[in-house]
């Protein structure tokens, strides 16, 4: 995989597509973020990319992204003033000048917001993020797993309201920021977990912007057929095909600052006669096939268009859509006891214990072989 060195307008669509795949249905609408980033790059110039290992203690790296419900963000599009305003608010509150920006998560639109903000501010963007996917809650980051708090956080809405948070912990930052977001109309621009470069080097998951770009290129390779494209993605991501089917029921609602709901699928092809249910809270969190656990957070679950293999976000799920559902292993940091406690099924109120997707896939394959015999 080649590493990004500069991000120009032609790089935005591949990053958007790959980040949407890694974003497990969340992270905000990539189309809106892509248009914003492309416009600002055309106006301000290409964005330099810094690898994580180039950061030093003299750097001040600021993650920036959207917080709230993706379904609301689609109708309340962030403006340039929000990007510049949130960076200015954080700088005033901390007295430190950002030297680089970074995605807080490698998911959908939130992978593009820091690129757009970097273009606007004339700053580089770091080739990394703090999740390796998208998660619905602000404290679900590798900084928190490493024992770092959110630091001073800044929030700005479309009206220009600014809020500075100095929360005592990551969970408290999530609670306070979520309540503020609801009052701001369901979406806001936020900076948190801003740290010197040596801390970012310790905590960030490196190379995820380059990975998203590479995946996006693979998804748009016209020389590869749909089935071969899907198999190539599964090989590259150590992924597993959970289901091929049609969405026959969809329940999606805005609640508590999140887009929540579930989708029920009826099997097609090799999965004819089977059913799959996926539940989501901004991101796809848990999948059951015929009532048995098929995949669960913190592993990644993605829904792909059956023909193009393009990833589908939770807010773009549609009744009657024919899709593939796949699952992939998460970063190893989320498979530690603390990672599972912070972002595993119990945190979201599910009764099942976390089991790695490769273990679940192996169990399912064994069951199918026994049924065949």
């Amino acid at each position: 995989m080649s590493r990004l060195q500069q991000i120009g307008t032609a790089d935005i669509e591949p990053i958007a597509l790959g980040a949407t795949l890694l974003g497990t249905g969340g992270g905000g609408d990539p189309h809106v973020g892509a248009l914003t980033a492309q416009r600002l790059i055309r106006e301000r110039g290409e964005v330099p990319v810094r690898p994580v290992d180039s950061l030093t203690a003299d750097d001040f790296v600021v993650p920036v992204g959207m917080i709230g419900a993706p379904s609301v963000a689609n109708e309340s599009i962030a403006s340039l003033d929000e990007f510049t305003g949130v960076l200015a608010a954080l700088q005033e509150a901390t007295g430190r000048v950002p030297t680089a920006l970074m995605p807080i998560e490698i998911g959908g639109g939130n992978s593009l917001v820091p690129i757009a903000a970097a273009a606007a501010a004339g700053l580089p963007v770091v080739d990394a993020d703090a999740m390796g996917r998208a998660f619905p809650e602000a404290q679900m980051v590798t900084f928190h797993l490493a024992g770092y708090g959110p630091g001073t956080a800044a929030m700005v809405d479309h009206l220009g309201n600014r809020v500075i948070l100095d929360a005592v912990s990551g969970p408290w930052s999530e609670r306070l920021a979520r309540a503020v977001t609801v009052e701001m109309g369901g979406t806001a621009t936020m900076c948190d977990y801003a740290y010197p470069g040596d801390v970012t080097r310790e905590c960030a998951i490196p190379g995820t912007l380059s990975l998203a770009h590479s995946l996006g290129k693979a998804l748009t390779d016209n020389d590869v057929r749909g089935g071969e494209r899907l198999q190539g993605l599964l090989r590259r991501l150590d992924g597993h095909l959970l289901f091929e089917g049609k969405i026959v029921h969809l329940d999606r609602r805005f609640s508590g600052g999140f887009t929540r709901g579930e989708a029920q699928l009826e099997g097609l092809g090799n999965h004819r006669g089977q059913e799959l249910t996926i539940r989501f809270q901004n991101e796809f969190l848990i999948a059951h096939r015929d009532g048995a656990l098929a995949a669960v957070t913190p592993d990644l679950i993605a829904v792909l268009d059956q023909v193009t293999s393009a990833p589908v976000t939770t807010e773009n799920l549609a009744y009657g859509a024919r899709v593939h559902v796949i699952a992939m292993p998460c970063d190893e940091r989320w498979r530690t006891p603390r990672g599972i406690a912070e972002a595993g099924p119990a945190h979201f109120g599910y009764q099942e214990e976390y089991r790695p997707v490769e273990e679940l896939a192996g169990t399912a394959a064994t069951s199918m072989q026994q049924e065949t015999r």
Side-chain angles (χ1 to χ4, degrees), residues 5-339:
Q5 296 180 338
Q6 294 272 128
I7 297 177
T9 54
D11 298 309
I12 294 299
E13 287 295 343
I15 291 173
L17 196 57
T20 304
L21 172 61
L22 296 173
T24 68
D29 190 297
H31 180 66
V32 172
L35 292 176
T36 303
Q38 286 172 330
R39 177 176 66 83
L40 288 170
I41 289 172
R42 283 195 296 269
E43 293 175 358
R44 309 292 177 93
E46 294 191 348
V47 175
V49 179
R50 290 188 62 180
V52 172
D53 58 13
S54 74
L55 300 173
T56 72
D58 294 329
D59 284 303
F60 185 49
V61 182
V62 178
V64 56
M66 305 300 296
I67 181 172
S71 55
V72 176
N74 280 354
E75 299 181 14
S76 181
I77 299 171
S79 68
L80 174 61
D81 291 341
E82 286 186 52
F83 301 154
T84 56
V86 76
L87 293 174
L90 186 72
Q91 183 173 329
E92 291 169 12
T94 62
R96 298 206 60 176
V97 179
T99 61
L101 306 184
M102 186 181 88
I104 195 67
E105 61 184 359
I106 196 73
N110 261 352
S111 298
L112 303 166
V113 167
I115 298 172
L123 291 170
V125 66
V126 178
D127 187 5
D129 80 300
M131 297 183 188
R133 49 161 293 160
F135 278 120
E137 297 180 14
Q139 84 283 2
M140 293 176 175
V141 291
T142 48
F143 292 91
H144 181 65
L145 294 185
Y148 293 95
T152 300
M155 300 176 65
V156 173
D157 69 5
H158 66 288
L159 296 175
N161 292 309
R162 296 185 179 188
V163 173
I164 300 296
L165 297 176
D166 284 302
V168 297
S169 68
W172 267 108
S173 180
E174 160 63 25
R175 288 178 65 179
L176 296 172
R178 193 66 53 180
V180 170
T181 302
V182 172
E183 292 302 318
M184 285 179 162
T187 185
T189 305
M190 183 174 181
C191 295
D192 56 353
Y193 294 92
Y195 275 101
D198 54 344
V199 175
T200 304
R201 285 184 64 162
E202 174 189 350
C203 298
I205 300 173
T208 49
L209 272 177
S210 290
L211 174 60
H213 184 266
S214 177
L215 291 172
K217 286 282 196 180
L219 283 166
T220 54
D221 186 349
N222 292 327
D223 292 331
V224 180
R225 295 179 181 178
E228 295 173 353
R229 184 181 296 118
L230 175 62
Q231 292 304 315
L233 287 173
L234 294 177
R235 285 193 298 271
R236 181 160 193 177
L237 297 168
D238 294 324
H240 301 271
L241 176 63
L242 300 184
F243 204 73
E244 176 184 355
K246 178 175 67 174
I247 298 175
V248 295
H249 178 75
L250 181 62
D251 172 25
R252 184 172 48 216
R253 59 198 179 278
F254 173 68
S255 173
F258 300 100
T259 298
R260 302 177 189 263
E262 70 174 47
Q264 296 177 4
L265 287 76
E266 181 182 274
L268 299 171
N270 292 334
H271 295 98
R272 190 172 300 278
Q274 300 180 33
E275 297 179 349
L276 186 83
T277 300
I278 315 173
R279 293 179 174 84
F280 52 87
Q281 179 181 320
N282 283 10
E283 285 77 36
F284 301 118
L285 297 177
I286 190 167
H288 290 91
R289 185 176 49 240
D290 290 339
L293 184 66
V296 65
T297 179
D299 285 334
L300 289 68
I301 301 170
V303 175
L304 310 177
D305 180 89
Q306 193 179 65
V307 176
T308 65
S309 294
V312 182
T313 58
T314 54
E315 67 269 21
N316 288 322
L317 293 173
Y319 176 83
R322 294 170 180 257
V323 298
H324 289 120
V325 181
I326 67 172
M328 303 151 278
C330 59
D331 186 87
E332 287 298 325
R333 279 170 268 197
W334 294 110
R335 290 185 166 188
T336 62
R338 180 161 189 183

